[in-house]
Amino acid sequence: MKITEGYMPYLNYQTYYRIVGDITKPSLVLLHGGPGSTHNYFELLDSLACDDYCVVMYDQLGCGNSYVEGRPELWKPETWVNELIALRKHLNLTKVHLLGQSWGGMLALDYVLHYNPVGVESLILSSTLSSASLWASEQHRMICFMSEADQHAIEIAEETDNYESEEYIIANTHFMHAHCAGVYEIGKAPDCLTRPKRTGEESYLYGWGPNEYTPTGSLAGFEVTNELKNINIPTLIISGTNDLCTPLVAKTMYDNIKHATWYLFPNCRHMVFAEATTQYIQLLQSWLKQTESVSH
């Protein structure tokens, strides 16, 4: 499949995008997590591009090839929603399926619920959330299963607002390894998971917070569960049993979205598409085929 890379001017900066396949076809648009991760891990899904669809991914402002720092006032939902709107216009993406992973799912929900977009055929919510407060409480529930030393280190860090201690860093690493992802070894994992990247640490801190369980940034008040009933497009929810997106978080979205399907992957953490890549791709292929047949 042909791969096209480019940049879109945005807010006096440049937003990098990567297209797999024919841009004139309907597109699967991939919204990465963070805020401040990059498109890199989505390259695992390149094979979804086919005669019927292209795949579009991009680095949101603040990270990767769209790196910006020293602008804390930018790291708010409006910046990234308007970037998505601008990208659809720039690339003439009239008919799209939106897949948002982690924070990317929050971005997709914000966009669909509050901006009245046209041409969104389906929504794929992968390991994401509709409530920052529920997310935080679920992370704290899982922290209770950690060693007493790790629990204590996290508790002290939250009480003192000091996330620099060695004990805290070790505890947080244990938490993320259990529920998010481990460290991928070069040569033993796909290149897109191991190659160096510019992570948007500032956009994560000001957008979300110091870690997954302490939302203090511009997204700390993200609470759209009561609005999910307004979603009228087919919606696929994907999560893992060991995910930061716990089964309760996923079920809360499933229970409130009318046309929702939920697929729970056993033994997967936050990056289901990296831990069950083949099954994830097969699920998306059948989902796209199914929603396409319904829309015609």
Side-chain angles (χ1 to χ4, degrees), residues 47-73:
S47 63
L48 280 166
C50 60
D51 290 342
D52 297 322
Y53 301 96
C54 70
V55 176
V56 177
M57 57 193 80
Y58 66 103
D59 288 341
Q60 297 159 21
L61 196 66
C63 67
N65 296 325
S66 310
Y67 189 80
V68 175
E69 66 175 355
R71 292 294 306 276
E73 72 280 3

Side-chain angles (χ1 to χ4, degrees), residues 22-35:
D22 181 354
I23 191 63
T24 65
K25 303 285 187 186
S27 51
L28 173 64
V29 179
L30 307 177
L31 310 176
H32 67 67

Side-chain angles (χ1 to χ4, degrees), residues 4 8 15 39 82 120 168 173 190 198 203 218 228 232 256 267-268 272:
T4 308
M8 171 188 75
T15 294
H39 82 279
N82 286 324
V120 179
Y168 162 75
T173 300
R198 299 189 81 182
S203 58
S218 61
L228 296 178
N232 290 307
N256 285 279
N267 306 313
C268 283
V272 177

Side-chain angles (χ1 to χ4, degrees), residues 225-292:
T225 303
N226 291 339
E227 300 174 57
L228 296 178
K229 62 182 180 293
N230 299 324
I231 295 175
N232 290 307
I233 52 178
T235 302
L236 174 63
I237 297 161
I238 301 172
S239 63
T241 53
N242 305 330
D243 203 332
L244 294 168
C245 171
T246 66
L248 177 59
V249 171
K251 187 175 187 299
T252 297
M253 294 185 289
Y254 175 70
D255 286 347
N256 285 279
I257 298 174
K258 289 191 285 280
H259 308 288
T261 301
W262 175 24
Y263 197 95
L264 181 63
F265 279 79
N267 306 313
C268 283
R269 295 169 292 178
H270 196 48
M271 285 166 49
V272 177
F273 55 87
E275 301 199 318
T277 307
T278 302
Q279 298 95 316
Y280 193 97
I281 287 172
Q282 287 170 347
L283 176 63
L284 288 187
Q285 284 170 332
S286 63
W287 171 259
L288 292 169
K289 195 172 181 181
Q290 173 192 327
T291 52
E292 195 63 23

Side-chain angles (χ1 to χ4, degrees), residues 14-295:
Q14 297 281 310
T15 294
Y16 164 86
Y17 59 84
R18 180 177 179 274
I19 302 159
V20 188
D22 181 354
I23 191 63
T24 65
K25 303 285 187 186
S27 51
L28 173 64
V29 179
L30 307 177
L31 310 176
H32 67 67
S37 186
T38 68
H39 82 279
N40 293 22
Y41 56 29
F42 278 146
E43 292 179 23
L44 291 170
L45 305 181
D46 279 0
S47 63
L48 280 166
C50 60
D51 290 342
D52 297 322
Y53 301 96
C54 70
V55 176
V56 177
M57 57 193 80
Y58 66 103
D59 288 341
Q60 297 159 21
L61 196 66
C63 67
N65 296 325
S66 310
Y67 189 80
V68 175
E69 66 175 355
R71 292 294 306 276
E73 72 280 3
L74 282 178
W75 314 131
K76 55 189 180 182
E78 295 84 354
T79 296
W80 291 302
V81 178
N82 286 324
E83 181 181 39
L84 173 58
I85 292 168
L87 189 75
R88 281 194 69 187
K89 194 172 179 181
H90 184 76
L91 296 177
N92 193 28
L93 305 176
T94 54
K95 186 175 175 182
V96 302
H97 297 264
L98 274 186
L99 185 156
Q101 191 263 346
S102 196
W103 138 250
M106 300 165 72
L107 172 58
L109 285 171
D110 192 7
Y111 177 54
V112 167
L113 289 169
H114 304 139
Y115 290 81
N116 300 312
V118 174
V120 179
E121 299 287 307
S122 79
L123 194 56
I124 301 151
L125 301 172
S126 187
S127 300
T128 188
L129 59 139
S130 60
S131 165
S133 59
L134 177 62
W135 185 268
S137 70
E138 279 292 273
Q139 310 314 308
H140 281 98
R141 180 182 63 77
M142 294 195 295
I143 287 168
C144 293
F145 296 108
M146 299 177 72
S147 72
E148 286 190 20
D150 284 348
Q151 289 184 59
H152 183 65
I154 290 169
E155 186 182 348
I156 295 294
E158 291 191 308
E159 283 177 359
T160 60
D161 198 29
N162 173 15
Y163 299 95
E164 307 295 326
S165 79
E166 186 181 349
E167 293 81 6
Y168 162 75
I169 290 167
I170 290 169
N172 189 57
T173 300
H174 289 161
F175 179 80
M176 294 299 278
H177 187 267
H179 302 293
C180 188
V183 176
Y184 296 103
E185 289 185 49
I186 294 173
K188 293 188 176 179
D191 169 68
C192 65
L193 297 179
T194 59
R195 70 171 177 263
K197 63 180 182 181
R198 299 189 81 182
T199 303
E201 293 180 10
E202 183 183 273
S203 58
Y204 181 80
L205 179 63
Y206 285 90
W208 181 253
N211 54 46
E212 282 303 307
Y213 36 87
T214 317
T216 53
S218 61
L219 293 164
F222 186 82
E223 302 289 338
V224 299
T225 303
N226 291 339
E227 300 174 57
L228 296 178
K229 62 182 180 293
N230 299 324
I231 295 175
N232 290 307
I233 52 178
T235 302
L236 174 63
I237 297 161
I238 301 172
S239 63
T241 53
N242 305 330
D243 203 332
L244 294 168
C245 171
T246 66
L248 177 59
V249 171
K251 187 175 187 299
T252 297
M253 294 185 289
Y254 175 70
D255 286 347
N256 285 279
I257 298 174
K258 289 191 285 280
H259 308 288
T261 301
W262 175 24
Y263 197 95
L264 181 63
F265 279 79
N267 306 313
C268 283
R269 295 169 292 178
H270 196 48
M271 285 166 49
V272 177
F273 55 87
E275 301 199 318
T277 307
T278 302
Q279 298 95 316
Y280 193 97
I281 287 172
Q282 287 170 347
L283 176 63
L284 288 187
Q285 284 170 332
S286 63
W287 171 259
L288 292 169
K289 195 172 181 181
Q290 173 192 327
T291 52
E292 195 63 23
S293 64
V294 168
S295 67

